[in-house]
Amino acid sequence: PTHDLTILDAPGHADFVPAMITGAASADVGLLVVAATPGEFEAGFEPSDSHHRGGQTREHIILSRGLGVSQLLVAVNKLDAADPSWSRGRFEEIRGKVLPFLQANGFKSHRVRFVPVSGLTGANVKELPTSSDVAALKEWYDGPTLLDAIDGFLPANRKVEEPMRIIVSDLFPEGKGITAKGRCVQGICSVGDQVLVLPVGDVATVGRIEHGKAQSASNPYGFSKDESGGDEKEGAERGKVAVAGDSVDIYLTGIDIARIHPGNVLSHVDLDLRPAVKKKFRASLMVMDDLAVPIIRGAQALLHMHSIDTPAVVSKLICTKNRDGTVKRQKPRVLAGGASASVEITLDQKISISKYADCRALGRFVLRRGGDTIAVGIIDEIVG
């Protein structure tokens, strides 16, 4: 293996889409599992119509791309239960339906791969068994196993040189301080640094940084020795620093637990290096295709951004756009399903936000209403 991976579960059921949003917002790459059994794939992938509500596969694809996932591995599961078993025709049918939809939503074809597997038997997950049960698969498939394909993901481009941003996802008291679980989305944080907790504005001190890296059954949370000849000292030094991309536990002192919450942002204390704490911004919006009720000026929704959700109002419809970004119509009255638009959004409370160009994690969001996702968007300009 060449990568250290942190796995974030994104539940598939419609009731747990907010949890899926939190996971996808923290992810660099995605593993999409689709079932190959007759009828099951269709139930998950076919769009909604007047007779039935569509499955979650399409919504998860749109949300994951809108939240920053740029590489996708599609595991075609239960292919051994297809008719006939390990059917190449069924595999190609699923690929032929899913790939165009992925491309239409911004995924590059060379960053999407399809792997046939059986989760129940483990076939082609870690290795391809030699038994006669998978002989039909061996006749036409000579690609990687699921684990090999996961290990083949391209490394993400980290913004280590940018001002530090750590998004807090969970908290618990520990001794005289607080342990904050979170992800460093850009920059570097070291033990001993002072950090600003936003939006409240309190200052805390970093007392300890822990990396949850599973190394072995006997030492699941320790740093392994470097096989190239490094030693525990190098691992200890690495343990004092969180860099962009790391999921870490940070022990903070000098702040009360009532003053920090999941969804808060830890940033540099300098005024010029901290994100804005505002409640109004202009954004580029992509409206979901199966929108039941059009979006009008004054429409209310719940804005989801990384670990937080807050009430929001679409306070102004600025313009609709063509696919190439040019203006289609100024000051539209409504936004129908499938539209791309520029809008102004006003939040119920001030939160830490950034322009998408400055910090992607603090510049992308999802709008939901009545339990349905209505749009995904990125922040173009912070207004006030």
Side-chain angles (χ1 to χ4, degrees):
T2 57
H3 295 311
D4 288 322
L5 298 172
T6 300
I7 298 174
L8 302 158
D9 184 27
H13 196 278
D15 291 347
F16 301 110
V17 170
M20 179 266 168
I21 290 171
T22 301
S26 302
D28 298 310
V29 298
L31 173 63
L32 176 68
V33 182
V34 296
T37 42
E40 194 169 350
F41 167 73
E42 287 74 13
F45 187 72
E46 295 303 321
S48 302
D49 57 31
S50 58
H51 301 292
H52 75 286
R53 179 190 173 99
Q56 292 305 115
T57 306
R58 285 174 177 261
E59 184 178 3
H60 278 219
I61 289 171
I62 294 170
L63 288 175
S64 61
R65 185 67 193 100
L67 291 167
V69 174
S70 60
Q71 301 178 66
L72 201 64
L73 179 59
V74 183
V76 183
N77 191 25
K78 305 181 185 179
L79 197 59
D80 55 331
D83 187 19
S85 180
W86 297 111
S87 167
R88 181 174 187 174
R90 180 61 168 167
F91 179 80
E92 294 296 342
E93 177 191 0
I94 292 172
R95 188 177 187 276
K97 289 183 178 180
V98 174
L99 185 57
F101 187 76
L102 291 172
Q103 292 172 318
N105 283 280
F107 284 97
K108 306 293 185 184
S109 58
H110 65 278
R111 296 213 165 186
V112 177
R113 291 168 296 161
F114 290 77
V115 177
V117 299
S118 170
L120 182 64
T121 65
N124 207 40
V125 174
K126 183 180 180 181
E127 57 189 12
L128 196 59
T130 56
S131 62
S132 59
D133 297 340
V134 294
L137 176 62
K138 292 180 180 179
E139 289 177 4
W140 58 270
Y141 183 76
D142 59 357
T145 63
L146 182 64
L147 291 183
D148 288 339
I150 290 173
D151 203 45
F153 277 125
L154 298 174
N157 184 23
R158 308 294 187 196
K159 292 191 174 184
V160 180
E161 71 285 351
E162 296 292 330
M164 184 264 291
R165 305 279 186 270
I166 296 176
I167 298 174
V168 178
S169 58
D170 199 7
L171 295 158
F172 53 88
E174 181 182 347
K176 295 183 179 180
I178 304 162
T179 294
K181 301 177 75 71
R183 185 170 188 259
C184 184
V185 295
Q186 66 179 41
I188 299 175
C189 180
S190 304
V191 171
D193 285 355
Q194 284 195 320
V195 295
L196 190 70
V197 180
L198 295 172
V200 294
D202 290 7
V203 176
T205 303
V206 178
R208 185 178 71 246
I209 296 175
E210 294 181 355
H211 297 251
K213 288 174 59 179
Q215 297 293 350
S216 65
S218 60
N219 184 22
Y221 298 108
F223 283 90
S224 63
K225 292 186 178 181
D226 192 328
E227 294 179 2
S228 60
D231 56 17
E232 293 178 357
K233 182 180 178 181
E234 184 177 339
E237 291 299 318
R238 178 67 179 88
K240 294 179 180 179
V241 178
V243 300
D246 286 349
S247 294
V248 293
D249 292 358
I250 299 180
Y251 180 70
L252 300 173
T253 58
I255 187 170
D256 191 275
I257 194 167
R259 300 283 291 168
I260 183 171
H261 306 280
N264 285 176
V265 177
L266 307 182
S267 79
H268 204 282
V269 293
D270 286 359
L271 187 62
D272 296 336
L273 300 178
R274 63 180 71 169
V277 180
K278 302 288 185 180
K279 60 188 297 185
K280 185 185 289 187
F281 57 85
R282 290 180 181 170
S284 294
L285 217 59
M286 185 178 74
V287 184
M288 302 293 279
D289 288 327
D290 56 351
L291 184 68
V293 179
I295 298 173
I296 62 173
R297 184 166 65 90
Q300 296 183 343
L302 201 61
L303 181 138
H304 293 259
M305 181 184 287
H306 50 81
S307 303
I308 60 175
D309 53 76
T310 183
V313 175
V314 181
S315 50
K316 189 183 293 185
L317 304 182
I318 300 170
C319 67
T320 55
K321 298 179 180 179
N322 296 308
R323 280 194 171 272
D324 59 1
T326 57
V327 175
K328 184 177 181 181
R329 182 180 179 184
Q330 292 281 1
K331 297 181 179 179
R333 295 180 64 184
V334 298
L335 300 180
S340 294
S342 178
V343 301
E344 186 175 278
I345 293 176
T346 304
L347 305 179
D348 191 51
Q349 58 185 347
K350 292 183 177 182
I351 62 171
S352 298
I353 54 177
S354 295
K355 291 193 293 185
Y356 180 75
D358 295 336
C359 180
R360 294 185 175 186
L362 299 180
R364 53 188 170 221
F365 60 90
V366 174
L367 292 180
R368 305 194 83 230
R369 178 176 63 190
D372 295 321
T373 301
I374 61 173
V376 294
I378 58 174
I379 297 175
D380 297 325
E381 183 183 352
I382 299 170
V383 180

